[in-house]
Amino acid sequence: MLKRTKILAASLSVVAAIALTGCTASNNDNISKMESVKSQTILGSYANIAQANYSDALKDAIVLRFRIDALASTPNEQTFAAAKKAWLISRESYGQTEAFRLANGPIDAEEGWVADTYGALEGQLNAWPLDENMIDYTIDANGSKTSGNIIDTKGSFNPGGEESTSVNVKKITVDALTELNENGGDANVSTGYHAIEFLLWGQDQDYSNFTKDSITNGALTAGQRTLADFTTAKDAKRRLAYLKAASEKVVKDLELVNSAWEKNGLYQAAIQGTLTGTDASKNIESKEALKQILAGLGVFIKSELANERIAVAVLTPSEEDEHSCFSDNTHRDILNNYLGFKNVLTSTYMGKKYGASMLDAVDAKTKANIMALMGSIEAKINNVDEMAKTKEHFDYQIQPGNPQAKVIVKLKNEMRKLGDEMVNVAKANGIDLSTDDVTDPEETKL
């Protein structure tokens, strides 16, 4: 365009050349404005889906806290079962919010005003895998209970690890658990859904294919914690106190993240560029916001879900690397994590269309390829889910020699291809991404 302008300038008057340049600039400005409007429309849909999804996750977490409070008040088989059911339900909504990660948003931004305002709470809410020995007893290979954990420590507790610090756990509180979470290492998890999961279900004793199972000598099952751990067993009251503090923290953390996405929330306004006054500097340019979202979607589906949560478990193989190994709920994690990805990509949630989507600008051929890939992925996810609910848990499905393991490997491979397709979706929306942008450089190499 610049070369053509110079050629015309040689034969046209200076005034005409200036007029032509002004016309070109105006066209470029119009295109830029159109792209900006399109981006803002997509971002509006994105923000509304986030608000609806996090609101549901918060509501379900409040029910979970209520059920745990009932268990702590009256520990019996009914309240115990109700607490576990509430945990499973809460994972349905929270699992879909995972698609909002890795986009420098309020759930996990690590720097800048977003991190300062919201605190990167993903690690507090959903960190895994965890070293359950840090929280409570487990049964070792000799059939003996381990000790030296938060539950059985009545004073200062040091989780160990690099630069770990001691925390007073004489009384188990939200603050104490928060301070201990990932204190000394990523596996030193004391808060969030998976800490609660372990306390409700107990150790998944069929955790290793590399050693002979001399503990359970039975079918692969979820954890089998008994009610006695909350009634007559040593430290029963501390387990209940731990559950109460951990569930209270999940609610508090989700309240903060949810506030970011509410209609008057600071972050939802920032990505739509509507902040004014002293907050105006916090506005995020629409194309930059969309770029972060698309890159985050790619990294999530390709490196986090396909690689870390599926490939590591099936190719190792190790049930300990299931996302929800204590409750054997990994099949639902996979389904809901993928559904969250689909929600964002198609601007839908719970069957409701929220407006313009990132796919709208994609050419027909590329869109058909993406939809076919998603259809194949969904068929495999539904297969894994149905098998887990009717015949064999994910534990069984990843075993060497099980035909389902091949299905799961293919699922992983297709998800990785779908992650790469976010480069094409980005291009159609005026965003430049590479496959490196949609791949976590620190993902586990298998």
Side-chain angles (χ1 to χ4, degrees):
M1 184 63 73
L2 289 175
K3 185 176 181 180
R4 180 171 178 268
T5 302
K6 289 179 180 178
I7 293 172
L8 288 170
S11 59
L12 296 175
S13 67
V14 173
V15 174
I18 292 172
L20 178 62
T21 303
C23 227
T24 303
S26 178
N27 287 340
N28 288 339
D29 287 345
N30 287 337
I31 292 172
S32 179
K33 287 178 181 178
M34 288 174 63
E35 289 182 344
S36 178
V37 170
K38 181 174 68 175
S39 296
Q40 288 174 346
T41 302
I42 293 171
L43 292 171
S45 301
Y46 177 82
N48 289 334
I49 293 169
Q51 191 279 326
N53 196 172
Y54 275 112
S55 177
D56 286 344
L58 174 58
K59 290 174 185 176
D60 290 340
I62 290 172
V63 173
L64 172 61
R65 182 185 63 184
F66 177 81
R67 296 303 182 194
I68 284 175
D69 286 347
L71 171 64
S73 174
T74 311
N76 57 42
E77 293 293 352
Q78 289 71 37
T79 55
F80 189 21
K84 290 194 284 188
K85 182 178 180 180
W87 185 90
L88 292 170
I89 292 173
S90 73
R91 293 297 290 174
E92 296 290 301
S93 53
Y94 186 81
Q96 294 179 54
T97 70
E98 291 278 81
F100 298 104
R101 291 181 52 197
L102 307 168
N104 202 34
I107 188 64
D108 62 357
E110 295 181 350
E111 58 186 13
W113 74 264
V114 182
D116 293 340
T117 304
Y118 300 108
L121 292 170
E122 197 280 331
Q124 294 283 345
L125 281 161
N126 199 47
W128 78 286
L130 58 79
D131 178 8
E132 54 263 49
N133 290 288
M134 173 178 163
I135 296 174
D136 197 5
Y137 76 87
T138 59
I139 305 297
D140 63 23
N142 297 316
S144 302
K145 286 187 177 181
T146 60
S147 59
N149 49 68
I150 297 171
I151 297 290
D152 68 14
T153 298
K154 305 301 194 296
S156 182
F157 178 80
N158 190 310
E162 186 176 356
E163 299 182 355
S164 62
T165 58
S166 296
V167 176
N168 190 325
V169 292
K170 182 178 181 180
K171 184 176 181 180
I172 297 176
T173 64
V174 170
D175 289 343
L177 296 185
T178 301
E179 194 173 348
L180 282 168
N181 194 62
E182 297 185 331
N183 179 339
D186 291 344
N188 290 349
V189 177
S190 58
T191 67
Y193 287 98
H194 296 296
I196 295 172
E197 178 194 13
F198 168 59
L199 280 171
L200 288 175
W201 273 270
Q203 177 188 12
D204 182 13
Q205 295 177 325
D206 299 290
Y207 61 86
S208 177
N209 286 317
F210 304 109
T211 59
K212 182 180 178 181
D213 181 2
S214 59
I215 302 171
T216 59
N217 296 315
L220 301 177
T221 63
Q224 299 294 303
R225 189 183 292 278
T226 65
L227 178 64
D229 273 357
F230 301 108
T231 54
T232 59
K234 180 184 178 182
D235 297 320
K237 290 183 178 180
R238 284 180 65 83
R239 287 187 190 93
L240 293 171
Y242 197 122
L243 277 173
K244 283 173 64 70
S247 61
E248 180 183 347
K249 178 167 171 55
V250 166
V251 170
K252 286 184 175 180
D253 288 349
L254 281 175
E255 285 175 339
L256 180 55
V257 178
N258 185 60
S259 72
W261 293 107
E262 291 178 337
K263 295 301 181 183
N264 60 344
L266 189 64
Y267 186 77
Q268 70 85 21
I271 66 168
Q272 295 180 83
T274 59
L275 292 174
T276 59
T278 56
D279 285 329
S281 62
K282 293 183 173 69
N283 283 323
I284 303 169
E285 198 273 323
S286 58
K287 287 190 71 172
E288 179 59 29
L290 190 56
K291 181 178 182 178
Q292 292 175 351
I293 290 166
L294 279 160
L297 275 182
V299 172
F300 177 70
I301 198 75
K302 179 181 181 180
S303 293
E304 180 65 24
L305 182 53
N307 194 78
E308 302 299 329
R309 299 188 182 184
I310 296 177
V312 172
V314 71
L315 296 178
T316 311
S318 171
E319 297 90 15
E320 186 78 343
D321 287 310
E322 289 182 65
H323 193 51
S324 296
C325 65
F326 309 116
S327 61
D328 272 348
N329 196 51
T330 300
H331 58 291
R332 298 303 300 173
D333 292 324
I334 293 171
L335 186 149
N336 284 300
N337 289 173
Y338 169 79
L339 184 54
F341 169 91
K342 184 178 180 180
N343 291 342
V344 173
L345 185 62
T346 62
S347 290
T348 58
Y349 177 66
M350 300 297 286
K352 177 183 176 181
K353 182 70 175 176
Y354 276 75
S357 83
M358 302 167 189
L359 283 179
D360 292 345
V362 177
D363 67 88
K365 182 178 179 181
T366 302
K367 185 174 181 179
N369 289 338
I370 291 173
M371 297 308 294
L373 184 57
M374 291 173 68
S376 181
I377 286 170
E378 289 165 25
K380 291 178 178 63
I381 288 176
N382 290 334
N383 171 275
V384 171
D385 181 53
E386 184 63 22
M387 187 74 74
K389 291 188 291 188
T390 61
K391 185 177 179 181
E392 52 189 20
H393 286 159
F394 195 75
D395 286 15
Y396 282 98
Q397 296 184 47
I398 63 174
Q399 296 300 307
N402 190 328
Q404 279 295 102
K406 293 182 179 180
V407 173
I408 296 169
V409 170
K410 289 179 181 178
L411 170 62
K412 176 267 297 184
N413 291 337
E414 290 180 349
M415 283 184 170
R416 290 185 65 81
K417 289 179 181 178
L418 183 57
D420 285 339
E421 285 291 344
M422 293 307 99
V423 174
N424 292 326
V425 175
K427 184 178 180 180
N429 286 277
I431 306 292
D432 289 327
L433 289 180
S434 69
T435 53
D436 287 341
D437 294 322
V438 295
T439 309
D440 184 351
E442 297 183 1
E443 70 174 20
T444 302
K445 302 300 181 183
L446 292 171

